[in-house]
Amino acid sequence: LTILLRCTLVRSVVELWGVGTTIESCAKFTEDWVKNCPTGQKLFERHSQPSQSWKMTVHTLGSTYTRDEQSAMRNQFSYLGFQGPVQMKDPTNEFVLIREVELDEIGGPVYPRRDSFKNLIAENDARPPLAAYFGRILGGVRKLKGRGGVFEYSLKKRSYLGPTSMDAELSLIMTNLGQVQNGSFCFDPFVGTGSILVTCGLRGAYCFGSDIDLRVLRGRSSNENVLSNFRQYNLPKPELIRTDNAIYHRHYRLHKPLYDAIICDPPYGIRAGARKTGSKYDEPRPIADEHRHDHIAQTKPYAVSDVMSDLLDVAARTLVVGSRLVYIIPSTLDFEVEEDLPFHECLDLVHVCYQPLSRVYGRRVVTMQKAREYDPLKREEYLSKVWKNGAESAEKCANIRDKLLEAAKQRPDYEEKLAIRKQKRKENREAKKKAKLETNTKADGTLEILDKS
């Protein structure tokens, strides 16, 4: 169970009692096991006491079955005759029947039971499952703290969000890949609203984040900022600094490696464009001393190739040997890991996990581990070798938004759907204006009544 507490994608661990190519054969296998096998007899006797409540859950992966159909599946195991009361919430024992079918690369059934209009496809419905399993659930893993588990940390419940906030489940996966644990010192150089740092804090890490956008770090108010998310989950306050990762070596004094993990979601221009310190003017106007305390420095576009080069350089420079860098990189289907992924001489590639988001686009969670000490005198040499094929490799993870838009324009129904979206946006704007006008009218009426009284 200690291991399960660290898991994010594993739903549960099941003590297997029976298996078969159909539900009927699985039921027969289970019956034979609990009646004739000494281990099965012992487990059945232990978990079928009158004082123990129970329930049986049916998982039909990739297919939807009615309650009556699920009840028919459960009835195949009626011979078990558990003596305790049925209890749907928090029972002593939860038994599970799993019906496995063939799934495609994005998790959908290869032979769907129903069509897009929810009509039954008889041919597919008649296909037998790949296998059927029956057993007792040993433990669920959707928990870190409290009763709600992973769902307790859903973005829907966060007090402070932005367009680039990372969902809790993926953030937790990244902390596992980064081997974040109690007492780790974690750094996010593109902290934004702090969604990744929150999950590092949930693992018991000391959190440090930086971002070039001071407005994001300050938040909207005292109750809507990065710190409010940490207060929401009773986590220690993180250290936050407004810095530019492109010039990390200028912001901080030269220091020994100190980070146990760098976990981040670099900006690629899909939801938010990358920026670095600088002005679009050749001779920017100097800032008067009296305005420096609240001045927001000018920024300019930050090429994706430079974002990744600087990130890997900072990781190689500041990570402790054996510690890890975990980051997300978007890519199209023609992306080749060996050819197009950025590398660094001091970092070894450990994992690359791909998550498809559409037919033409996905994102990769990349894990690298520091294997060699960094030589500051070789910095320029390191940077020159980050991209194996130079700009050609960098281009495959740059301008993803433009590429998706171009691909969408090639679809025959693009113009029609675009018109529908425009109309919906227009209706939403009008509805908001109307609601605001009604609110103001009511407020004016209230003030008028008060004035007369």
Side-chain angles (χ1 to χ4, degrees):
L1 291 179
T2 302
I3 296 175
L4 289 179
L5 289 174
R6 288 286 310 199
C7 297
T8 303
L9 296 179
V10 177
R11 293 297 298 266
S12 58
V13 174
V14 177
E15 180 181 75
L16 192 63
W17 286 23
V19 63
T21 54
T22 63
I23 292 177
E24 291 77 10
S25 62
C26 177
K28 183 68 176 66
F29 185 104
T30 305
E31 182 178 15
D32 182 65
W33 188 74
V34 299
K35 289 182 178 180
N36 302 318
C37 176
T39 303
Q41 292 173 348
K42 185 177 180 180
L43 286 174
F44 179 74
E45 181 180 355
R46 181 186 303 169
H47 301 296
S48 61
Q49 299 298 317
S51 59
Q52 296 179 345
S53 58
W54 64 280
K55 77 171 182 178
M56 185 186 296
T57 303
V58 178
H59 287 315
T60 55
L61 307 180
S63 304
T64 302
Y65 285 80
T66 65
R67 288 187 178 182
D68 290 340
E69 290 171 326
Q70 292 185 33
S71 295
M73 296 179 190
R74 291 188 183 92
N75 288 337
Q76 297 288 333
F77 298 84
S78 58
Y79 59 83
L80 292 171
F82 295 116
Q83 301 178 49
V86 175
Q87 183 173 312
M88 301 307 294
K89 186 176 181 180
D90 297 327
T92 308
N93 297 305
E94 180 178 355
F95 299 91
V96 61
L97 171 62
I98 302 173
R99 185 181 186 275
E100 183 184 12
V101 297
E102 188 176 355
L103 303 178
D104 59 24
E105 66 276 4
I106 60 174
V110 175
Y111 306 101
R113 188 168 183 250
R114 298 181 184 275
D115 60 22
S116 57
F117 299 100
K118 298 186 179 181
N119 297 318
L120 188 68
I121 304 175
E123 180 181 355
N124 291 351
D125 185 50
R127 296 181 68 90
L130 291 179
Y133 308 93
F134 180 81
R136 185 177 69 89
I137 293 181
L138 297 182
V141 299
R142 294 286 181 173
K143 280 188 177 294
L144 276 178
K145 288 184 177 180
R147 296 186 60 190
V150 171
F151 301 109
E152 184 71 22
Y153 311 105
S154 168
L155 293 183
K156 296 179 181 179
K157 299 183 178 182
R158 298 279 174 90
S159 60
Y160 180 49
L161 284 177
T164 59
S165 296
M166 178 70 67
D167 65 272
E169 187 171 77
L170 183 54
S171 298
L172 289 168
I173 293 170
M174 293 174 73
T175 59
N176 275 345
L177 291 171
Q179 298 181 339
V180 177
Q181 55 189 322
N182 190 38
S184 296
F185 186 21
C186 296
F187 175 47
D188 182 356
F190 310 101
V191 66
T193 59
S195 53
I196 292 179
L197 275 193
V198 166
T199 53
C200 290
L202 292 171
R203 299 295 192 195
Y206 297 103
C207 299
F208 170 44
S210 67
D211 202 285
I212 194 172
D213 192 341
L214 183 60
R215 292 165 295 186
V216 175
L217 294 178
R218 286 177 174 173
R220 301 185 186 94
S221 67
S222 60
N223 295 322
E224 287 187 81
N225 53 48
V226 178
L227 300 182
S228 64
N229 284 340
F230 280 76
R231 288 196 299 268
Q232 183 179 349
Y233 300 116
N234 297 317
L235 297 173
K237 184 173 71 172
E239 298 294 335
L240 301 174
I241 300 179
R242 190 274 179 188
T243 59
D244 182 359
N245 199 58
I247 49 176
Y248 181 95
H249 57 290
R250 287 170 52 186
H251 282 301
Y252 303 93
R253 290 180 297 178
L254 184 64
H255 59 76
K256 293 182 179 180
L258 51 84
Y259 303 131
D260 298 309
I262 296 179
I263 318 286
C264 62
D265 179 19
Y268 295 102
I270 297 178
R271 293 183 179 177
R275 310 286 296 181
K276 66 178 180 178
T277 301
S279 173
K280 62 181 179 179
Y281 302 109
D282 295 332
E283 297 182 5
R285 185 177 61 184
I287 307 302
D289 291 341
E290 61 268 23
H291 298 308
R292 287 183 176 274
H293 71 285
D294 61 353
H295 172 67
I296 297 176
Q298 296 183 63
T299 60
K300 60 184 180 180
Y302 192 10
V304 172
S305 56
D306 294 336
V307 171
M308 295 311 307
S309 297
D310 292 334
L311 174 62
L312 266 61
D313 184 68
V314 169
R317 180 192 293 264
T318 61
L319 280 172
V320 176
V321 172
S323 298
R324 293 186 171 187
L325 162 69
V326 184
Y327 66 90
I328 295 217
I329 186 169
S331 57
T332 50
L333 292 180
D334 61 346
F335 189 92
E336 296 290 340
V337 172
E338 294 296 328
E339 298 292 325
D340 303 322
L341 199 66
F343 287 92
H344 195 285
E345 287 186 18
C346 299
L347 305 172
D348 288 345
L349 183 65
V350 181
H351 302 294
V352 179
C353 308
Y354 181 65
Q355 179 189 23
L357 300 177
S358 71
R359 297 289 181 183
V360 297
Y361 159 70
R363 58 185 175 184
R364 286 172 167 81
V365 181
V366 181
T367 306
M368 306 184 81
Q369 183 166 299
K370 185 172 179 179
R372 289 162 287 280
E373 290 290 358
Y374 182 90
D375 184 357
L377 299 178
K378 297 174 63 177
R379 182 172 184 269
E380 294 304 322
E381 180 184 344
Y382 291 147
L383 292 174
S384 66
K385 297 179 180 179
V386 169
W387 298 99
K388 185 174 182 179
N389 295 324
E392 180 182 345
S393 294
E395 178 64 22
K396 290 191 177 181
C397 63
N399 304 320
I400 293 290
R401 184 174 183 175
D402 294 336
K403 294 174 184 176
L404 293 176
L405 186 58
E406 288 299 320
K409 288 180 179 179
Q410 304 303 319
R411 298 175 183 172
D413 58 348
Y414 172 76
E415 294 296 337
E416 180 182 352
K417 290 185 176 179
L418 180 63
I420 294 174
R421 287 196 295 269
K422 285 184 177 180
Q423 181 62 30
K424 286 184 177 180
R425 285 197 295 267
K426 182 178 179 181
E427 291 173 356
N428 289 336
R429 286 196 299 269
E430 292 176 351
K432 288 179 180 179
K433 287 181 180 179
K434 184 178 179 181
K436 186 176 181 180
L437 182 62
E438 290 176 352
T439 302
N440 293 338
T441 303
K442 290 180 181 178
D444 292 341
T446 303
L447 289 174
E448 185 178 346
I449 293 173
L450 291 174
D451 290 340
K452 289 181 178 179
S453 63

PDB file of all heavy atoms in Angstrom, residues 152-174:
ATOM      1  N   GLU A 152      -9.224  15.593  -5.479  1.00  0.00           N
ATOM      2  CA  GLU A 152      -9.230  16.695  -4.524  1.00  0.00           C
ATOM      3  C   GLU A 152      -8.375  17.857  -5.022  1.00  0.00           C
ATOM      4  O   GLU A 152      -8.589  19.006  -4.643  1.00  0.00           O
ATOM      5  CB  GLU A 152      -8.703  16.196  -3.167  1.00  0.00           C
ATOM      6  CG  GLU A 152      -8.758  17.219  -2.060  1.00  0.00           C
ATOM      7  CD  GLU A 152     -10.176  17.512  -1.597  1.00  0.00           C
ATOM      8  OE1 GLU A 152     -11.056  16.654  -1.814  1.00  0.00           O
ATOM      9  OE2 GLU A 152     -10.393  18.591  -1.025  1.00  0.00           O
ATOM     10  N   TYR A 153      -7.412  17.547  -5.906  1.00  0.00           N
ATOM     11  CA  TYR A 153      -6.484  18.559  -6.394  1.00  0.00           C
ATOM     12  C   TYR A 153      -6.786  18.975  -7.832  1.00  0.00           C
ATOM     13  O   TYR A 153      -5.947  19.545  -8.510  1.00  0.00           O
ATOM     14  CB  TYR A 153      -5.046  18.043  -6.269  1.00  0.00           C
ATOM     15  CG  TYR A 153      -4.767  17.485  -4.903  1.00  0.00           C
ATOM     16  CD1 TYR A 153      -4.695  16.117  -4.685  1.00  0.00           C
ATOM     17  CD2 TYR A 153      -4.638  18.334  -3.815  1.00  0.00           C
ATOM     18  CE1 TYR A 153      -4.494  15.603  -3.418  1.00  0.00           C
ATOM     19  CE2 TYR A 153      -4.432  17.834  -2.539  1.00  0.00           C
ATOM     20  CZ  TYR A 153      -4.358  16.466  -2.344  1.00  0.00           C
ATOM     21  OH  TYR A 153      -4.169  15.963  -1.091  1.00  0.00           O
ATOM     22  N   SER A 154      -7.981  18.668  -8.281  1.00  0.00           N
ATOM     23  CA  SER A 154      -8.401  19.032  -9.635  1.00  0.00           C
ATOM     24  C   SER A 154      -8.299  20.545  -9.843  1.00  0.00           C
ATOM     25  O   SER A 154      -8.512  21.340  -8.911  1.00  0.00           O
ATOM     26  CB  SER A 154      -9.846  18.578  -9.866  1.00  0.00           C
ATOM     27  OG  SER A 154     -10.369  19.141 -11.050  1.00  0.00           O
ATOM     28  N   LEU A 155      -7.986  20.936 -11.074  1.00  0.00           N
ATOM     29  CA  LEU A 155      -7.887  22.365 -11.387  1.00  0.00           C
ATOM     30  C   LEU A 155      -9.209  23.086 -11.138  1.00  0.00           C
ATOM     31  O   LEU A 155      -9.224  24.289 -10.858  1.00  0.00           O
ATOM     32  CB  LEU A 155      -7.465  22.556 -12.841  1.00  0.00           C
ATOM     33  CG  LEU A 155      -6.041  22.110 -13.218  1.00  0.00           C
ATOM     34  CD1 LEU A 155      -5.757  22.439 -14.681  1.00  0.00           C
ATOM     35  CD2 LEU A 155      -5.006  22.763 -12.322  1.00  0.00           C
ATOM     36  N   LYS A 156     -10.315  22.372 -11.239  1.00  0.00           N
ATOM     37  CA  LYS A 156     -11.625  22.983 -11.020  1.00  0.00           C
ATOM     38  C   LYS A 156     -11.768  23.515  -9.594  1.00  0.00           C
ATOM     39  O   LYS A 156     -12.599  24.389  -9.337  1.00  0.00           O
ATOM     40  CB  LYS A 156     -12.733  21.972 -11.313  1.00  0.00           C
ATOM     41  CG  LYS A 156     -12.791  21.515 -12.763  1.00  0.00           C
ATOM     42  CD  LYS A 156     -13.897  20.488 -12.958  1.00  0.00           C
ATOM     43  CE  LYS A 156     -13.954  20.009 -14.398  1.00  0.00           C
ATOM     44  NZ  LYS A 156     -14.999  18.985 -14.607  1.00  0.00           N
ATOM     45  N   LYS A 157     -10.957  22.974  -8.688  1.00  0.00           N
ATOM     46  CA  LYS A 157     -11.072  23.376  -7.280  1.00  0.00           C
ATOM     47  C   LYS A 157      -9.989  24.362  -6.863  1.00  0.00           C
ATOM     48  O   LYS A 157      -9.954  24.781  -5.701  1.00  0.00           O
ATOM     49  CB  LYS A 157     -11.005  22.127  -6.386  1.00  0.00           C
ATOM     50  CG  LYS A 157     -12.127  21.136  -6.648  1.00  0.00           C
ATOM     51  CD  LYS A 157     -12.070  19.965  -5.691  1.00  0.00           C
ATOM     52  CE  LYS A 157     -13.220  19.000  -5.933  1.00  0.00           C
ATOM     53  NZ  LYS A 157     -13.211  17.875  -4.967  1.00  0.00           N
ATOM     54  N   ARG A 158      -9.095  24.723  -7.772  1.00  0.00           N
ATOM     55  CA  ARG A 158      -7.997  25.622  -7.435  1.00  0.00           C
ATOM     56  C   ARG A 158      -8.497  27.058  -7.306  1.00  0.00           C
ATOM     57  O   ARG A 158      -9.361  27.506  -8.063  1.00  0.00           O
ATOM     58  CB  ARG A 158      -6.905  25.575  -8.495  1.00  0.00           C
ATOM     59  CG  ARG A 158      -6.237  24.213  -8.657  1.00  0.00           C
ATOM     60  CD  ARG A 158      -5.175  23.965  -7.606  1.00  0.00           C
ATOM     61  NE  ARG A 158      -4.665  22.602  -7.728  1.00  0.00           N
ATOM     62  CZ  ARG A 158      -3.634  22.255  -8.483  1.00  0.00           C
ATOM     63  NH1 ARG A 158      -3.000  23.184  -9.171  1.00  0.00           N
ATOM     64  NH2 ARG A 158      -3.229  21.008  -8.527  1.00  0.00           N
ATOM     65  N   SER A 159      -7.910  27.785  -6.380  1.00  0.00           N
ATOM     66  CA  SER A 159      -8.317  29.178  -6.172  1.00  0.00           C
ATOM     67  C   SER A 159      -7.673  30.108  -7.201  1.00  0.00           C
ATOM     68  O   SER A 159      -8.167  31.208  -7.429  1.00  0.00           O
ATOM     69  CB  SER A 159      -7.939  29.627  -4.762  1.00  0.00           C
ATOM     70  OG  SER A 159      -6.536  29.531  -4.558  1.00  0.00           O
ATOM     71  N   TYR A 160      -6.570  29.675  -7.830  1.00  0.00           N
ATOM     72  CA  TYR A 160      -5.869  30.530  -8.791  1.00  0.00           C
ATOM     73  C   TYR A 160      -5.453  29.692  -9.996  1.00  0.00           C
ATOM     74  O   TYR A 160      -4.751  28.694  -9.861  1.00  0.00           O
ATOM     75  CB  TYR A 160      -4.644  31.168  -8.141  1.00  0.00           C
ATOM     76  CG  TYR A 160      -3.842  32.081  -9.055  1.00  0.00           C
ATOM     77  CD1 TYR A 160      -4.474  33.075  -9.810  1.00  0.00           C
ATOM     78  CD2 TYR A 160      -2.459  31.962  -9.151  1.00  0.00           C
ATOM     79  CE1 TYR A 160      -3.738  33.919 -10.634  1.00  0.00           C
ATOM     80  CE2 TYR A 160      -1.716  32.813  -9.965  1.00  0.00           C
ATOM     81  CZ  TYR A 160      -2.357  33.787 -10.707  1.00  0.00           C
ATOM     82  OH  TYR A 160      -1.646  34.620 -11.524  1.00  0.00           O
ATOM     83  N   LEU A 161      -5.944  30.092 -11.173  1.00  0.00           N
ATOM     84  CA  LEU A 161      -5.679  29.356 -12.407  1.00  0.00           C
ATOM     85  C   LEU A 161      -5.248  30.298 -13.509  1.00  0.00           C
ATOM     86  O   LEU A 161      -5.537  31.494 -13.477  1.00  0.00           O
ATOM     87  CB  LEU A 161      -6.923  28.590 -12.869  1.00  0.00           C
ATOM     88  CG  LEU A 161      -7.308  27.313 -12.129  1.00  0.00           C
ATOM     89  CD1 LEU A 161      -8.596  26.765 -12.708  1.00  0.00           C
ATOM     90  CD2 LEU A 161      -6.208  26.282 -12.210  1.00  0.00           C
ATOM     91  N   GLY A 162      -4.604  29.734 -14.503  1.00  0.00           N
ATOM     92  CA  GLY A 162      -4.249  30.468 -15.711  1.00  0.00           C
ATOM     93  C   GLY A 162      -4.419  29.551 -16.910  1.00  0.00           C
ATOM     94  O   GLY A 162      -4.687  28.357 -16.757  1.00  0.00           O
ATOM     95  N   PRO A 163      -4.255  30.078 -18.114  1.00  0.00           N
ATOM     96  CA  PRO A 163      -4.452  29.258 -19.319  1.00  0.00           C
ATOM     97  C   PRO A 163      -3.433  28.139 -19.474  1.00  0.00           C
ATOM     98  O   PRO A 163      -3.662  27.197 -20.238  1.00  0.00           O
ATOM     99  CB  PRO A 163      -4.328  30.277 -20.468  1.00  0.00           C
ATOM    100  CG  PRO A 163      -3.539  31.408 -19.900  1.00  0.00           C
ATOM    101  CD  PRO A 163      -3.914  31.475 -18.453  1.00  0.00           C
ATOM    102  N   THR A 164      -2.303  28.213 -18.774  1.00  0.00           N
ATOM    103  CA  THR A 164      -1.272  27.183 -18.912  1.00  0.00           C
ATOM    104  C   THR A 164      -1.164  26.286 -17.682  1.00  0.00           C
ATOM    105  O   THR A 164      -0.202  25.518 -17.563  1.00  0.00           O
ATOM    106  CB  THR A 164       0.103  27.839 -19.154  1.00  0.00           C
ATOM    107  OG1 THR A 164       0.417  28.703 -18.061  1.00  0.00           O
ATOM    108  CG2 THR A 164       0.094  28.653 -20.444  1.00  0.00           C
ATOM    109  N   SER A 165      -2.101  26.360 -16.747  1.00  0.00           N
ATOM    110  CA  SER A 165      -2.046  25.527 -15.542  1.00  0.00           C
ATOM    111  C   SER A 165      -2.066  24.046 -15.912  1.00  0.00           C
ATOM    112  O   SER A 165      -2.893  23.603 -16.698  1.00  0.00           O
ATOM    113  CB  SER A 165      -3.218  25.849 -14.610  1.00  0.00           C
ATOM    114  OG  SER A 165      -3.138  27.180 -14.144  1.00  0.00           O
ATOM    115  N   MET A 166      -1.139  23.288 -15.321  1.00  0.00           N
ATOM    116  CA  MET A 166      -1.015  21.861 -15.601  1.00  0.00           C
ATOM    117  C   MET A 166      -2.008  21.069 -14.755  1.00  0.00           C
ATOM    118  O   MET A 166      -2.153  21.317 -13.555  1.00  0.00           O
ATOM    119  CB  MET A 166       0.416  21.416 -15.295  1.00  0.00           C
ATOM    120  CG  MET A 166       0.664  19.931 -15.508  1.00  0.00           C
ATOM    121  SD  MET A 166       0.624  19.492 -17.250  1.00  0.00           S
ATOM    122  CE  MET A 166       2.089  20.369 -17.817  1.00  0.00           C
ATOM    123  N   ASP A 167      -2.695  20.087 -15.372  1.00  0.00           N
ATOM    124  CA  ASP A 167      -3.670  19.304 -14.622  1.00  0.00           C
ATOM    125  C   ASP A 167      -2.960  18.463 -13.564  1.00  0.00           C
ATOM    126  O   ASP A 167      -1.796  18.070 -13.719  1.00  0.00           O
ATOM    127  CB  ASP A 167      -4.489  18.420 -15.558  1.00  0.00           C
ATOM    128  CG  ASP A 167      -3.652  17.363 -16.257  1.00  0.00           C
ATOM    129  OD1 ASP A 167      -3.111  17.659 -17.337  1.00  0.00           O
ATOM    130  OD2 ASP A 167      -3.541  16.244 -15.720  1.00  0.00           O
ATOM    131  N   ALA A 168      -3.670  18.183 -12.481  1.00  0.00           N
ATOM    132  CA  ALA A 168      -3.071  17.548 -11.305  1.00  0.00           C
ATOM    133  C   ALA A 168      -2.517  16.168 -11.624  1.00  0.00           C
ATOM    134  O   ALA A 168      -1.437  15.802 -11.146  1.00  0.00           O
ATOM    135  CB  ALA A 168      -4.107  17.464 -10.184  1.00  0.00           C
ATOM    136  N   GLU A 169      -3.237  15.384 -12.406  1.00  0.00           N
ATOM    137  CA  GLU A 169      -2.803  14.012 -12.679  1.00  0.00           C
ATOM    138  C   GLU A 169      -1.463  13.976 -13.401  1.00  0.00           C
ATOM    139  O   GLU A 169      -0.547  13.244 -13.002  1.00  0.00           O
ATOM    140  CB  GLU A 169      -3.867  13.278 -13.511  1.00  0.00           C
ATOM    141  CG  GLU A 169      -3.577  11.806 -13.689  1.00  0.00           C
ATOM    142  CD  GLU A 169      -4.750  11.063 -14.312  1.00  0.00           C
ATOM    143  OE1 GLU A 169      -4.942  11.187 -15.531  1.00  0.00           O
ATOM    144  OE2 GLU A 169      -5.463  10.357 -13.574  1.00  0.00           O
ATOM    145  N   LEU A 170      -1.315  14.787 -14.454  1.00  0.00           N
ATOM    146  CA  LEU A 170      -0.054  14.807 -15.191  1.00  0.00           C
ATOM    147  C   LEU A 170       1.066  15.371 -14.320  1.00  0.00           C
ATOM    148  O   LEU A 170       2.215  14.905 -14.384  1.00  0.00           O
ATOM    149  CB  LEU A 170      -0.201  15.623 -16.474  1.00  0.00           C
ATOM    150  CG  LEU A 170       1.018  15.673 -17.396  1.00  0.00           C
ATOM    151  CD1 LEU A 170       1.492  14.268 -17.747  1.00  0.00           C
ATOM    152  CD2 LEU A 170       0.711  16.455 -18.671  1.00  0.00           C
ATOM    153  N   SER A 171       0.765  16.371 -13.496  1.00  0.00           N
ATOM    154  CA  SER A 171       1.777  16.931 -12.601  1.00  0.00           C
ATOM    155  C   SER A 171       2.294  15.875 -11.630  1.00  0.00           C
ATOM    156  O   SER A 171       3.501  15.792 -11.361  1.00  0.00           O
ATOM    157  CB  SER A 171       1.195  18.112 -11.811  1.00  0.00           C
ATOM    158  OG  SER A 171       0.795  19.157 -12.669  1.00  0.00           O
ATOM    159  N   LEU A 172       1.390  15.053 -11.111  1.00  0.00           N
ATOM    160  CA  LEU A 172       1.788  13.994 -10.178  1.00  0.00           C
ATOM    161  C   LEU A 172       2.648  12.949 -10.873  1.00  0.00           C
ATOM    162  O   LEU A 172       3.604  12.422 -10.293  1.00  0.00           O
ATOM    163  CB  LEU A 172       0.541  13.353  -9.565  1.00  0.00           C
ATOM    164  CG  LEU A 172      -0.224  14.229  -8.580  1.00  0.00           C
ATOM    165  CD1 LEU A 172      -1.579  13.626  -8.258  1.00  0.00           C
ATOM    166  CD2 LEU A 172       0.578  14.434  -7.304  1.00  0.00           C
ATOM    167  N   ILE A 173       2.313  12.651 -12.123  1.00  0.00           N
ATOM    168  CA  ILE A 173       3.126  11.709 -12.896  1.00  0.00           C
ATOM    169  C   ILE A 173       4.537  12.261 -13.067  1.00  0.00           C
ATOM    170  O   ILE A 173       5.539  11.539 -12.927  1.00  0.00           O
ATOM    171  CB  ILE A 173       2.482  11.432 -14.265  1.00  0.00           C
ATOM    172  CG1 ILE A 173       1.164  10.674 -14.088  1.00  0.00           C
ATOM    173  CG2 ILE A 173       3.419  10.635 -15.178  1.00  0.00           C
ATOM    174  CD1 ILE A 173       0.342  10.573 -15.354  1.00  0.00           C
ATOM    175  N   MET A 174       4.619  13.561 -13.360  1.00  0.00           N
ATOM    176  CA  MET A 174       5.929  14.187 -13.558  1.00  0.00           C
ATOM    177  C   MET A 174       6.753  14.173 -12.273  1.00  0.00           C
ATOM    178  O   MET A 174       7.977  13.983 -12.316  1.00  0.00           O
ATOM    179  CB  MET A 174       5.745  15.618 -14.064  1.00  0.00           C
ATOM    180  CG  MET A 174       5.140  15.700 -15.460  1.00  0.00           C
ATOM    181  SD  MET A 174       4.767  17.388 -15.991  1.00  0.00           S
ATOM    182  CE  MET A 174       6.420  18.031 -16.290  1.00  0.00           C
TER     183      MET A 174
END
